[in-house]
Amino acid sequence: MRRFNIFQTSHSALRAQLLDASLQLQFTNFTKPQQVQHRFDQVVELVLACQRQAEEESRYIIPALLVFEKKVPECFAANQPMRYSPLDRILDHMLVFDKEAGSDRANKWAGILFRSSFRNLSDWVIQAMQRQEEMLNPLLWEHYSDDALYMLQLRIEGKQPLSEWLELCSWMIKDMDDEDIAIWLNSMEASLPAPVFELLLEKILGQLPLLKWDMVEERKREERKREEWKREYGVVV
């Protein structure tokens, strides 16, 4: 039986951000300040997303598990010493580049060093997500029902500013297939206030190609019919 994964939304968003930044970084000319600034802005967004993930883990997930467990691993290493984290190292490289911008040394080495830092950061984020999936999820499933985990997720999302949550959703859907997007949107439509769902829909429409959105719409209709059939006949499809 497939259990509720409290990390699915944030992990999907992080994977999409990593992939997008990695692809863009391949074609960045580090002698062009405007291109470099765009990439730095992307990386700052990614670093902030990782910091939010670590904060949510330490503020909500770990306390929920410490009720039952004596010790719980910190997968995103929220308390890792400064100057050692890949998050800190890539930010350091960005500061150095800002100071050296335009110099021969920056033009020669910036791209090589920054891409290396980004690879290290990507490896660290992927490993941290994997640890959450493999170490925290089994503990959560052992002690909490899916309904309880869903309520915990709502509590976490409820603490986020609306603009931040919408941005997270816009990244998340890039890592989802048509069926998953359709199921998720139907659940959001059923649970969100109408004005908030309209904002979400507007954000999603701005991210998806028209053809993909048409396929999502078709999946949404199929899922609605399936749910209606399940309610009518009281069976699991």
Side-chain angles (χ1 to χ4, degrees):
M1 179 182 175
R2 185 178 179 182
R3 294 295 308 273
F4 181 79
N5 184 355
I6 199 170
F7 301 112
Q8 181 176 352
T9 301
S10 56
H11 286 185
S12 292
L14 280 172
R15 283 193 296 266
Q17 285 181 278
L18 281 173
L19 178 60
D20 186 65
S22 178
L23 291 174
Q24 296 293 336
L25 193 58
Q26 293 181 39
F27 302 102
T28 299
N29 184 342
F30 277 81
T31 65
K32 306 290 185 182
Q34 189 173 12
Q35 289 189 29
V36 174
Q37 189 59 54
H38 286 326
R39 297 296 79 76
F40 282 7
D41 290 344
Q42 271 190 304
V43 171
V44 168
E45 285 186 19
L46 178 61
V47 169
L48 290 174
C50 292
Q51 290 173 341
R52 285 195 297 271
Q53 186 77 358
E55 182 181 357
E56 289 169 4
E57 177 186 292
S58 61
R59 182 174 292 185
Y60 299 102
I61 305 298
I62 290 178
L65 288 172
L66 286 174
V67 174
F68 304 98
E69 301 286 335
K70 291 183 179 179
K71 187 176 182 181
V72 179
E74 287 189 321
C75 302
F76 261 81
N79 61 348
Q80 194 168 12
M82 292 293 288
R83 324 308 298 176
Y84 291 96
S85 165
L87 300 176
D88 302 311
R89 284 200 294 271
I90 199 166
L91 291 175
D92 280 350
H93 287 164
M94 290 163 62
L95 290 173
V96 171
F97 181 85
D98 282 340
K99 294 177 182 178
E100 299 278 346
S103 68
D104 291 339
R105 183 166 63 172
N107 291 339
K108 181 177 181 180
W109 296 107
I112 296 172
L113 291 175
F114 192 75
R115 290 186 179 96
S116 176
S117 289
F118 185 81
R119 283 193 297 271
N120 291 335
L121 173 63
S122 298
D123 290 343
W124 180 80
V125 174
I126 291 169
Q127 290 168 12
M129 288 192 293
Q130 186 174 356
R131 288 195 297 271
Q132 284 189 322
E133 297 277 0
E134 295 179 352
M135 300 169 72
L136 297 185
N137 258 340
L139 292 174
L140 289 167
W141 293 335
E142 180 181 351
H143 299 298
Y144 290 94
S145 67
D146 285 353
D147 287 343
L149 292 175
Y150 178 64
M151 294 304 296
L152 178 58
Q153 184 183 55
L154 291 180
R155 182 184 170 199
I156 294 171
E157 291 178 350
K159 298 296 183 180
Q160 296 174 322
L162 180 59
S163 59
E164 183 179 298
W165 180 74
L166 290 172
E167 188 66 23
L168 176 70
C169 293
S170 71
W171 281 110
M172 177 192 71
I173 61 167
K174 295 179 181 180
D175 190 57
M176 299 168 68
D177 60 27
D178 300 343
E179 183 176 3
D180 286 339
I181 295 174
I183 293 171
W184 175 71
L185 281 175
N186 282 343
S187 69
M188 291 296 99
E189 187 173 11
S191 59
L192 291 175
V196 177
F197 181 72
E198 289 299 322
L199 288 173
L200 174 63
L201 210 56
E202 182 180 345
K203 188 77 172 179
I204 300 305
L205 283 169
Q207 299 294 322
L208 295 180
L210 185 58
L211 180 59
K212 185 174 180 65
W213 174 249
D214 288 342
M215 291 187 288
V216 169
E217 282 277 77
E218 180 61 29
R219 287 287 191 175
K220 285 179 73 203
R221 287 190 289 269
E222 291 174 1
E223 287 301 322
R224 284 199 195 99
K225 290 178 181 177
R226 182 181 301 178
E227 289 301 318
E228 290 171 0
W229 194 87
K230 286 163 64 176
R231 284 195 298 270
E232 182 177 353
Y233 293 98
V235 297
V236 177
V237 179

